[in-house]
């Protein structure tokens, strides 16, 4: 059997530790997230304390090295965690994903001083992290970012930043911002990465965006106005920022796909239960073949998504040469397919699916943005095609 197919075929055979991770996460989410998710959504309430409490479970540094307090788990382990959390609330799960992506960049590309300064407090969730790449005029074209960082101070001991980041999850709540800034020429070679504390002089935040979904999670602009950041907070070196950003996104794409998968599974479970209870024309609606076929397709789509996602995560764990392509394929397929599953679950509920109290319309709203962030699904197709034609 081809190695890629073999990896795919074996992914449902999770080991005992991985099943324990699933069970632990699902139990936490069922007790601490699911009962409150609809209220958080309705009130646009950010459950800061609940998110930070997951540090006790190791979720502040899921795939961060253990010497700085991380859990030292793999990417497949992380996917299992985000999937289980998202079954309770995709927005909650995605915020923990974003924090982990930011922490991983420091762990992977930071020097020892940076790792020891930032990561112990991030892995414990004493400090929450956000990732700041997108700008008002630079989304899919990430290399076109304009936020400028200029050396200043004695011997260039500081950077002074001017510009703004757009659509930053956790902005205003997070304590640390891993930001891509321009330190040199136009294009990817002029991009660098700075770790910026919330109390940096000249750092401020816009008003919370009024979004379609992810209501429990604040999204704001991050604004730099002569913002001073120590040069010692530069990750790797000047000009390495685009490489760091793209490396982080491979894992981030798997994480957000896992959030879609968990949300879709929850929507499907609700639809299946509802179809067994709801009666029309003298029998429960799950007795109608048209609906049976719809449920069969939904179940197939969920499991196809799970198999592709687990295989892609396994490739990233093994550092396979085509892991980037598989991450893009998983992100594109899973987020598209799982949104469709959630939308079909709403249809199964009929008019009740449109009501907030049933929880389906929230899942549809929450999953929609997953097709846009961590690289739009159109960009995922570009990445996949480039791998195929060798560009």
């Amino acid at each position: 059997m081809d190695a890629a197919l073999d990896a795919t075929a074996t992914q449902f055979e999770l080991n005992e530790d991985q099943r324990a991770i699933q069970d632990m996460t699902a139990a936490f989410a069922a007790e601490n997230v699911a009962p409150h998710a609809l209220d958080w959504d309705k009130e646009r309430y950010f459950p800061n304390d609940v998110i930070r409490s997951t540090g006790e479970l190791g979720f502040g540094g899921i795939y961060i090295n253990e010497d700085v307090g991380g859990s030292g788990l793999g990417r497949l382990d992380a996917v299992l965690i985000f999937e289980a959390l998202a079954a309770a609330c995709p927005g909650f799960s995605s915020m923990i994903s974003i924090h982990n992506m930011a922490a991983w960049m420091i762990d992977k590309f930071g020097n020892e001083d940076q790792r020891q300064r930032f990561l112990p407090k991030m892995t414990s969730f004493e400090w929450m992290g956000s990732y700041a790449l997108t700008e008002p005029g630079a989304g899919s074209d990430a290399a076109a970012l304009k936020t400028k960082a200029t050396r200043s101070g004695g011997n260039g001991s500081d950077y002074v930043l001017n510009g703004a980041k757009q659509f930053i999850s956790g902005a205003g709540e997070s304590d640390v911002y891993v930001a891509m800034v321009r330190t040199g020429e136009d294009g990817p070679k002029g991009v660098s990465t700075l770790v910026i504390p919330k109390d940096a002089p000249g750092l401020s935040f816009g008003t919370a965006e009024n979004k379609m979904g992810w209501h429990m999670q604040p999204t704001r602009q991050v604004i730099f106005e002569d913002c001073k950041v120590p040069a010692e907070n530069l990750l790797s070196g000047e000009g390495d920022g685009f490489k760091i950003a793209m490396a982080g996104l491979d894992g981030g794409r798997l994480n957000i796909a896992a959030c879609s998968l968990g949300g879709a599974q929850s929507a499907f479970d609700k639809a299946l239960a509802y179809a067994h209870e709801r009666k029309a024309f003298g029998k429960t609606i799950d007795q109608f073949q048209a609906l049976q076929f719809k449920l069969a397709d939904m179940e197939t789509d969920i499991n196809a998504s799970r198999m592709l996602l687990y295989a892609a995560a396994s490739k990233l764990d093994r550092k396979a040469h085509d892991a980037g392509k598989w991450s893009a394929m998983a992100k594109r397929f899973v987020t598209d397919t799982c949104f469709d599953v959630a939308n079909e679950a709403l249809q199964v509920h009929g008019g009740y699916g449109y009501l907030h109290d049933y929880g389906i319309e929230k899942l549809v709203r929450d999953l929609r943005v997953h097709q846009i962030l961590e690289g739009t699904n159109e960009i995922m197709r570009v990445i996949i095609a480039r791998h195929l034609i060798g560009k």
Side-chain angles (χ1 to χ4, degrees):
M1 182 183 289
D2 176 83
L5 293 177
D6 182 58
T8 304
T10 60
Q11 285 314 303
F12 282 118
E13 300 301 322
L14 301 177
N15 62 42
E16 186 175 335
D17 289 341
Q18 289 168 331
R19 294 201 178 279
I21 288 170
Q22 279 185 318
D23 292 344
M24 174 193 70
T25 307
F28 171 85
E31 180 178 352
N32 298 283
V33 181
H36 311 292
L38 288 177
D39 288 337
W40 292 343
D41 177 79
K42 185 177 182 179
E43 297 166 12
R44 287 170 164 75
Y45 173 78
F46 183 61
N48 197 315
D49 55 339
V50 182
I51 287 177
R52 292 182 189 266
S53 74
T54 67
E56 298 175 4
L57 303 177
F59 294 172
I62 296 169
Y63 39 82
I64 308 305
N65 284 300
E66 294 175 284
D67 67 308
V68 287
S71 298
L73 299 176
R75 295 305 183 128
L76 177 55
D77 303 319
V79 160
L80 301 176
I81 290 169
F82 294 127
E83 180 185 352
L85 289 174
C89 178
F92 184 95
S93 185
S94 64
M95 188 64 234
I96 295 177
S97 163
I98 291 163
H99 166 87
N100 273 270
M101 185 164 63
W104 178 83
M105 291 178 180
I106 300 172
D107 192 32
K108 175 70 174 177
F109 296 100
N111 58 38
E112 194 57 28
D113 172 70
Q114 292 166 336
R115 293 179 70 250
Q116 295 298 332
R117 271 196 294 133
F118 294 108
L119 290 176
K121 290 186 177 182
M122 293 182 75
T123 56
S124 67
F125 250 131
E126 180 180 347
W127 287 353
M128 189 182 303
S130 285
Y131 172 60
L133 172 63
T134 302
E135 295 185 0
S140 295
D141 186 7
L145 63 87
K146 299 296 184 184
T147 295
K148 185 73 173 176
T150 306
R151 287 270 193 172
S152 71
N155 299 317
S157 59
D158 297 309
Y159 284 99
V160 175
L161 279 62
N162 283 283
K165 296 294 180 179
Q166 184 76 26
F167 305 132
I168 306 306
S169 296
E173 297 285 349
S174 288
D175 307 281
V176 175
Y177 298 84
V178 178
M180 306 302 149
V181 298
R182 184 159 302 284
T183 55
E185 62 190 75
D186 290 342
K189 293 182 179 179
V191 177
S192 301
T193 304
L194 285 171
V195 182
I196 304 170
K198 184 179 181 179
D199 60 0
L203 176 64
S204 62
F205 306 97
T207 57
E209 302 287 357
N210 189 12
K211 310 186 298 292
M212 174 181 175
W214 279 16
H215 287 170
M216 55 69 60
Q217 185 189 117
T219 302
R220 298 183 177 92
Q221 275 197 339
V222 176
I223 303 165
F224 307 107
E225 296 175 302
D226 291 330
C227 176
K228 184 181 288 188
V229 179
E232 63 185 14
N233 288 12
L234 176 73
L235 288 186
S236 187
E238 287 197 359
D240 290 341
F242 192 77
K243 173 187 72 176
I244 294 172
M246 294 304 104
L249 285 172
D250 277 346
R253 286 162 183 158
L254 297 180
N255 296 351
I256 210 63
C259 292
S260 286
L261 180 58
Q265 183 68 64
S266 177
F268 175 73
D269 292 343
K270 292 175 187 293
L272 189 61
Y274 181 81
H276 190 63
E277 297 171 359
R278 173 71 168 171
K279 287 187 175 181
F281 307 103
K283 55 184 176 181
T284 58
I285 62 175
D286 64 358
Q287 297 304 304
F288 293 99
Q289 191 176 63
L291 186 57
Q292 291 174 356
F293 283 3
K294 187 188 293 289
L295 293 170
D297 285 345
M298 293 162 70
E299 170 75 353
T300 303
D301 289 344
I302 287 172
N303 280 291
S305 295
R306 182 172 287 116
M307 185 170 286
L308 177 59
L309 176 58
Y310 288 9
S314 178
K315 278 182 171 285
L316 195 59
D317 277 333
R318 301 195 317 269
K319 298 180 173 58
H321 69 92
D322 57 352
K325 180 186 76 172
W326 277 70
S327 293
M329 290 194 303
K331 195 273 180 180
R332 201 291 300 165
F333 182 83
V334 177
T335 59
D336 280 348
T337 302
C338 288
F339 173 77
D340 290 343
V341 168
N343 198 38
E344 290 287 9
L346 190 153
Q347 190 72 15
V348 169
H349 280 75
Y352 291 103
Y354 210 64
L355 302 182
H356 185 261
D357 288 349
Y358 280 73
I360 296 292
E361 62 87 29
K362 172 189 179 297
L363 289 168
V364 173
R365 289 187 288 105
D366 281 352
L367 296 196
R368 182 59 183 87
V369 74
H370 297 182
Q371 296 167 285
I372 297 171
L373 49 78
E374 313 294 15
T376 66
N377 284 359
E378 289 75 18
I379 293 297
M380 295 306 99
R381 292 177 170 89
V382 171
I383 293 170
I384 297 162
R386 284 177 175 172
H387 277 272
L388 293 175
I389 65 176
K391 279 184 73 173

